[in-house]
Amino acid sequence: MSHTVFVTGATSGFGEAIARRFALAGHRVVASGRRRNRLETLAAAMPAGLVLPLVLDVRDRDAVETAVTGLPEDFSEVDVLINNAGLALGLEPAQRADLDEWEEMVDTNIKGLMGVTRALLPGMVARGRGHVINLGSVAASWPYPGGNCYGATKAFVQQFSRNLRSDLLGTGVRVTNIEPGMAETEFSLVRFKGNADQAAAVYSGTRPLTAEDIAESVIWVTGLPAHVNINNLEIMPTDQAWGPFAVHREPQGK
């Protein structure tokens, strides 16, 4: 059975890989994002008519509502929502962090995700089927220095996903929170404002996850029987794990 899939942040990384994977499997895809040229390139590379490029900034609530209500008939009944649009900015400790960067992360990772979900959810409930997939992060559960606001936004995604499950009980609509660990996409390039050397250093000497790895996990959870719901899926590369407790010790004799 083919589905209609709405993907946010489809211009790069996880979002682009997820959109490609669904389209190549014969599903209709609304590929949304801020960079028109990348969306059009994606659509042109996929089977004709399966990818609808949609220029959209999820932070713009009015634009989200207009986009959803204005979807062409063939793409209007969305079965799967992939809330992928998000970003991390900066790695400074909280006392030196840029408040504008914090607000941008909140506006995108939290408010943008809420707005798109709220716009598409009523249709899913009315049809008695659907699947909301939120792209969270291991940072929701495992803090690290400099992850302050980013980790907090992903903790919101985790808890919001759980509460959606509670609200949607009995509706036939599924909710899954996917939490990737270290993955090499444009993530670090954005975090470090285009500094390619600094971004590359994050993955030096490791074999991180790829966008295709995450796309495959999304395909898996959506392809399970309709009565099966994967609540939370935490994924790390084998080169990543948890650290010991951090303990600060004053130098002896001080």
Side-chain angles (χ1 to χ4, degrees):
M1 179 184 298
S2 65
H3 298 297
T4 299
V5 184
F6 193 111
V7 184
T8 68
T11 57
S12 66
F14 298 156
E16 181 182 6
I18 291 166
R20 285 180 178 274
R21 187 69 175 77
F22 273 108
L24 290 173
H27 302 287
R28 294 177 298 276
V29 178
V30 180
S32 71
R34 293 185 294 172
R35 292 174 282 189
R36 181 185 300 275
N37 61 327
R38 290 198 177 193
L39 295 174
E40 291 176 348
T41 298
L42 171 64
M46 294 295 102
L50 285 185
V51 174
L52 174 68
L54 177 64
V55 178
L56 181 66
D57 186 340
V58 297
R59 297 173 298 179
D60 187 335
R61 178 174 168 179
D62 291 339
V64 168
E65 293 176 356
T66 299
V68 169
T69 57
L71 288 172
E73 184 177 353
D74 289 349
F75 291 87
S76 62
E77 294 191 358
V78 173
D79 302 294
V80 181
L81 166 60
I82 313 292
N83 276 315
N84 166 74
L87 75 168
L89 295 171
L91 204 58
E92 292 291 326
Q95 65 272 24
R96 295 201 301 268
D98 185 327
L99 193 56
D100 288 337
E101 292 182 345
W102 279 9
E103 289 187 350
E104 186 173 351
M105 286 186 278
V106 168
D107 288 345
T108 307
N109 302 359
I110 295 179
K111 295 170 71 176
L113 180 146
M114 287 193 304
V116 179
T117 302
R118 182 61 182 82
L120 287 168
L121 203 54
M124 292 184 182
V125 172
R127 292 186 292 274
R129 69 179 191 277
H131 201 155
V132 178
I133 303 214
N134 295 325
L135 264 294
S137 169
V138 296
S141 302
W142 313 110
Y144 58 87
N148 38 68
C149 185
Y150 173 72
T153 65
K154 292 305 183 178
F156 170 87
V157 173
Q158 182 186 87
Q159 192 62 20
F160 185 61
S161 300
R162 290 171 176 169
N163 281 277
L164 282 177
R165 282 279 290 127
S166 296
D167 286 344
L168 295 168
L169 186 65
T171 65
V173 179
R174 300 187 287 180
V175 182
T176 300
N177 181 36
I178 294 182
E179 300 185 322
M182 181 184 289
E184 189 167 11
T185 61
E186 290 186 3
F187 177 85
S188 289
L189 198 63
V190 171
R191 166 167 261 170
F192 298 121
K193 299 180 179 178
N195 187 322
D197 292 337
Q198 198 172 6
V202 173
Y203 312 105
S204 178
T206 72
R207 184 179 179 184
L209 299 173
T210 67
E212 288 70 27
D213 294 330
I214 301 307
E216 193 63 32
S217 72
V218 170
I219 287 289
W220 175 67
V221 299
T222 57
L224 292 171
H227 71 285
V228 178
N229 192 96
I230 301 300
N231 299 325
N232 198 79
L233 184 60
E234 184 180 280
I235 310 169
M236 288 183 180
T238 54
D239 286 343
Q240 184 182 29
W242 309 276
F245 283 117
V247 178
H248 172 73
R249 302 182 190 278
E250 292 288 345
Q252 289 186 353
K254 184 173 180 180

